[in-house]
Amino acid sequence: MKELKDIVKAFELAEQRAIRSALATVVYVEGSSYRRAGARMLVTEDGQLTGAISGGCLEGDALRKARLVMVQQKPMLVTYDTTDEDDAKLGVGLGCNGIIHILIEPIDVKAANHPVNLFNIFLSKREPVVLITLFSLNDKQAPQPGTCALLDYNKKLTGAFPDKAIQEALLIDAQDVLKNGNSVTKTYIYEDKYTCFIELLQPEVSLIVIGAGNDAIPLTAMATILGWQVTVIDGRANYVVKERFPNAGKLIVAKPEGALRGIDIDNRTVFVLMTHNYNYDMAMLRQLLPMHLTYIGALGPKKRLNRMLDEIRETDKSIANGDSNNVYGPSGLDIGSENADEIALSIIAEIQAVLKRRNGASLRYKTVVHNRQDEQILQQVLPDTKL
């Protein structure tokens, strides 16, 4: 999300200066790589790079190829193979033991639905969308349509496909991705072979911090670095000020009963209770429990949280034990945190782990960091196809 925002901003600056640009996208990975499919980088003709497609080893070569793409105004599919010694001779030391396929496409500012315009449609709302990128993995010399369409939550399609024959199949798969939440790569075989990266884009995380004490300051700062939306709520007007939380999108002074007015809550919204005021935290927790949120963090000892939950259940019999399964208290991963900065780091890490459905364990104990089996290419043969 943050990468897309940065790319849009960089593109707008380049457009103001009448500087051409190209978009590099990792469309498929075989084996291991630093970035996975969907990683993007904007390249301008004056050599500015925004975003990343690797850990820094591919960017220089991609810049050279992107400049060629801008001149020719023709998309190019580039493959970097770590098993190929020629890559080392060219100065591309990948060191990640995989094959990375990168699509580099010029951005035509005159086109109504060029990639950055599609990004802007996604960024304008807090709704998931599916972005469709077409290329030909089996024939690099074939036309590479590129980032061509976006399907929103209401099934509205923006953009167009180069071949109407595959549109129906593509839209069925895109709707399936939107419903089930998994990006896929498929090869559609119809006369020529099209490979399609059907990518789910999720809205940025919305972090609602209940409490504007000093320990909330590093938490909101770290969330901002990740590109999360940040809202700070507290009943103390002298604490909820821009000077203390310069990067927060919303600052709300309210009592618990009015704290959530005007706040949009969805499955990408997480809360952290940290007012250090027992009654305020409990009043907020009482409102949040029935919402079945993905993550509710509670600062303080486990005993304090259990006491709040017991009191809430005694007065509200509709709240069952299972309603607290999404409450994490004490909030944060066990990394030996002591001061406010370290505690903020542990909370941010726990939220990330919960949203990604990970356990937060050290990577040294994993034999495979990213399971690329989930990203393998699926094939679909369309009607009237000659093989």
Side-chain angles (χ1 to χ4, degrees):
M1 170 61 75
K2 184 177 184 297
E3 190 168 71
L4 283 185
K5 284 186 171 181
D6 291 342
I7 285 173
V8 169
K9 184 178 180 180
F11 169 77
E12 291 173 348
L13 291 174
E15 189 178 19
Q16 291 170 10
R17 298 166 56 200
I19 293 176
R20 292 179 299 183
S21 57
L23 182 70
T25 305
V26 178
V27 290
Y28 187 60
V29 172
E30 302 171 67
S32 176
S33 69
Y34 185 80
R35 300 295 307 271
R36 67 192 307 165
R40 292 180 173 84
M41 179 177 73
L42 185 79
V43 182
T44 58
E45 61 181 325
D46 62 348
Q48 296 297 313
L49 307 178
T50 304
I53 53 173
S54 73
C57 46
L58 300 182
E59 277 69 7
D61 190 67
L63 170 60
R64 290 188 289 272
K65 289 182 170 61
R67 282 175 167 155
L68 178 62
V69 163
M70 287 180 233
V71 171
Q72 296 179 341
Q73 286 296 295
K74 179 182 176 182
M76 176 190 301
L77 185 66
V78 184
T79 298
Y80 296 97
D81 187 349
T82 58
T83 63
D84 187 348
E85 293 183 359
D86 286 342
D87 278 348
K89 294 175 184 176
L90 291 170
V92 183
L94 299 180
C96 46
N97 208 22
I99 302 173
I100 302 111
H101 304 275
I102 296 174
L103 180 69
I104 305 175
E105 50 189 317
I107 298 180
D108 181 3
V109 295
K110 297 179 181 179
N113 296 312
H114 63 68
V116 179
N117 277 348
L118 296 180
F119 298 161
N120 272 321
I121 292 173
F122 163 60
L123 293 171
S124 66
K125 299 178 182 178
R126 278 195 62 82
E127 294 178 351
V129 302
V130 168
L131 193 65
I132 298 171
T133 304
L134 271 175
F135 54 102
S136 179
L137 194 61
N138 292 326
D139 185 0
K140 295 180 186 178
Q141 304 307 315
Q144 308 291 342
T147 309
C148 55
L150 180 144
L151 184 72
D152 70 15
Y153 201 67
N154 297 314
K155 299 182 180 180
K156 178 185 176 183
L157 180 70
T158 302
F161 304 111
D163 191 333
K164 293 293 184 182
I166 66 170
Q167 178 167 323
E168 183 178 351
L170 271 172
L171 290 179
I172 291 174
D173 285 325
Q175 290 172 20
D176 186 65
V177 166
L178 200 57
K179 177 182 177 181
N180 297 314
N182 292 315
S183 299
V184 297
T185 304
K186 294 187 73 171
T187 296
Y188 297 87
I189 305 174
Y190 186 92
E191 294 182 353
D192 295 319
K193 291 186 178 180
Y194 287 101
T195 309
C196 182
F197 176 42
I198 308 173
E199 178 186 8
L200 178 70
L201 298 180
Q202 292 272 27
E204 62 195 347
V205 177
S206 175
L207 171 65
I208 316 294
V209 180
I210 309 297
N214 290 343
D215 52 356
I217 294 174
L219 179 66
T220 59
M222 291 183 191
T224 301
I225 291 173
L226 295 174
W228 296 1
Q229 286 184 359
V230 176
T231 299
V232 180
I233 303 174
D234 201 304
R236 300 167 291 183
N238 59 322
Y239 277 58
V240 191
V241 292
K242 200 68 176 176
E243 290 76 15
R244 289 169 59 80
F245 301 97
N247 297 314
K250 286 185 180 180
L251 297 174
I252 299 173
V253 180
K255 295 179 179 180
E257 55 269 24
L260 300 182
R261 290 175 190 160
I263 294 181
D264 295 324
I265 298 175
D266 54 35
N267 63 356
R268 300 280 289 174
T269 304
V270 297
F271 283 79
V272 178
L273 307 178
M274 53 191 311
T275 66
H276 303 283
N277 181 310
Y278 181 85
N279 291 327
Y280 197 111
D281 281 354
M282 184 170 69
M284 290 303 307
L285 186 58
R286 188 187 300 275
Q287 297 178 66
L288 298 177
L289 283 175
M291 296 182 183
H292 303 289
L293 300 164
T294 304
Y295 180 94
I296 303 172
L299 226 61
K302 188 75 171 180
K303 183 178 179 180
R304 179 179 184 269
L305 173 60
N306 288 338
R307 180 185 167 192
M308 285 194 291
L309 291 170
D310 289 341
E311 289 188 33
I312 291 171
R313 293 189 187 108
E314 284 178 8
T315 56
D316 190 344
K317 302 300 182 183
S318 66
I319 297 178
N321 289 333
D323 291 332
S324 63
N325 289 340
N326 57 347
V327 180
Y328 293 79
S331 183
L333 297 182
D334 182 9
I335 58 173
S337 302
E338 296 290 344
N339 58 43
D341 293 343
E342 294 169 352
I343 292 170
L345 176 62
S346 73
I347 293 173
I348 290 290
E350 182 178 56
I351 293 172
Q352 175 73 6
V354 170
L355 291 174
K356 293 290 187 177
R357 299 179 183 177
R358 300 297 178 92
N359 60 15
S362 175
L363 292 177
R364 70 180 295 180
Y365 301 115
K366 296 192 69 174
T367 55
V368 178
V369 175
H370 296 299
N371 184 7
R372 300 303 185 194
Q373 290 298 112
D374 297 336
E375 301 172 22
Q376 63 184 332
I377 286 185
L378 306 174
Q379 287 198 352
Q380 180 171 342
V381 179
L382 302 181
D384 301 323
T385 298
K386 297 179 180 179
L387 296 178

